[in-house]
Amino acid sequence: MKTRAFDNEGNPVRRVLLKISGEAFGGGELGIDTEILQSVAAQIKTAKAEGVQVCVVVGGGNFFRGKEMEEAGLDRSRGDYIGMLGTVMNCLALQDFLEQVGIDTRVQTAIAMGQIAEPYIPLKAIAHMKHNKVVIFGAGAGLPYFSTDTVSIQRALETHCEIVLMGKNGVDGVYDDDPRKNPQAKKYDILSLEEAITKDLKVMDGAALSLARENHMDIRVFGLDINSNVALALLGEPIGTLVTESMNVSK
């Protein structure tokens, strides 16, 4: 079972992990879209003002897309390490924008980078959040063949988060087909983890979904296209699609 999060006074608190893809950081393009980062930072500040404890996992696809390079002949593990470095660049950028709006932030990485980040230490991350800091996790798992989806679930479990919030670029939830190709695709408001796995609904990769199911970790998938959605998700509003352990759900 998930462990409940508490503040320094022993009061239960809402602690969540926000997962943002690298593609979202770049607005679907290579590089960083500063307007998106400014918006995300401001919305995290809004949620922090309501007492929400926040940690973040970021992808690196706006800098390096390993799958494309692998198809061109690049060694998979080397490509994965390059992608990890891309996630750290996004971490540092988000850290700066958060600090610009007055939010104390710590970056922790799975690969040692002592001059720019702390090593990933779960208890230290929890202590930072209890002291009102946002913690951003970079460099994936520090190992090849592990996606940032899987890392999101693992980090959320180790730091006692109650849910993983997945901000998507270009889609506002989980559908039974690709809504960008099929205008008749139907959106789920709530979906079981089992159904997401068996129907291969592209919520996360299979390893991440299996880890979530085995450890009772809920996931909420929502779109980043609306300026208020990050804050709404962090505050617990029922936007997008809830992917949950319960089998007693409907579309």
Side-chain angles (χ1 to χ4, degrees):
M1 296 295 291
K2 289 180 291 185
T3 303
R4 188 69 188 271
F6 297 90
D7 62 17
N8 279 326
E9 283 70 47
N11 302 310
V13 295
R14 177 173 170 82
R15 181 183 299 156
V16 299
L17 185 142
L18 175 64
K19 165 64 172 22
I20 308 178
S21 69
E23 288 80 1
F25 267 59
E29 305 291 335
L30 292 177
I32 289 176
D33 187 320
T34 57
E35 291 186 3
I36 290 175
L37 262 67
Q38 287 172 337
S39 175
V40 169
Q43 292 180 72
I44 290 175
K45 181 177 181 178
T46 297
K48 291 288 296 171
E50 298 297 322
V52 180
Q53 294 182 1
V54 182
C55 55
V56 187
V57 167
V58 298
N62 54 323
F63 287 119
F64 184 82
R65 298 177 182 177
K67 185 176 181 181
E68 296 175 7
M69 297 302 293
E70 185 181 2
E71 291 171 355
L74 184 71
D75 178 76
R76 165 64 188 272
S77 10
R78 187 166 292 117
D80 282 354
Y81 281 117
I82 296 171
M84 292 175 211
L85 299 180
T87 72
V88 177
M89 289 192 281
N90 282 333
C91 287
L92 296 176
L94 180 58
Q95 179 183 36
D96 193 85
F97 280 95
L98 283 166
E99 291 180 346
Q100 286 182 36
V101 297
I103 301 296
D104 287 338
T105 309
R106 295 292 182 270
V107 173
Q108 292 193 348
T109 59
I111 297 173
M113 301 183 184
Q115 289 181 290
I116 58 174
E118 299 176 356
Y120 171 58
I121 301 174
L123 289 177
K124 195 167 186 178
I126 291 170
H128 286 322
M129 285 187 277
K130 285 184 174 181
H131 285 91
N132 210 33
K133 298 178 178 68
V134 170
V135 183
I136 311 171
F137 301 119
L143 298 167
Y145 304 101
F146 287 87
S147 72
T148 50
D149 286 348
T150 303
V151 171
S152 297
I153 302 298
Q154 188 274 334
R155 297 290 190 261
L157 289 167
E158 277 206 295
T159 58
H160 306 159
C161 294
E162 65 184 68
I163 193 168
V164 171
L165 307 170
M166 286 197 68
K168 293 278 193 177
N169 188 51
V171 65
D172 62 348
V174 181
Y175 287 75
D176 61 1
D177 197 5
D178 188 341
R180 290 165 289 194
K181 297 178 181 178
N182 177 8
Q184 304 303 316
K186 295 182 179 179
K187 178 176 170 286
Y188 294 90
D189 292 323
I190 188 168
L191 174 70
S192 73
L193 284 159
E194 181 68 29
E195 189 173 5
I197 293 169
T198 57
K199 291 187 176 180
D200 192 23
L201 292 174
K202 310 300 183 186
V203 178
M204 286 180 161
D205 66 59
L209 286 172
S210 295
L211 185 62
R213 181 183 61 181
E214 291 166 9
N215 294 278
H216 323 295
M217 178 58 68
D218 292 344
I219 303 161
R220 183 170 294 281
V221 181
F222 67 98
L224 289 170
D225 299 336
I226 299 176
N227 286 337
S228 61
N229 270 2
V230 171
L232 292 174
L234 291 172
L235 290 167
E237 294 297 322
I239 62 173
T241 301
L242 176 64
V243 189
T244 182
E245 178 189 22
S246 173
M247 295 299 292
N248 185 28
V249 298
S250 63
K251 297 179 183 180

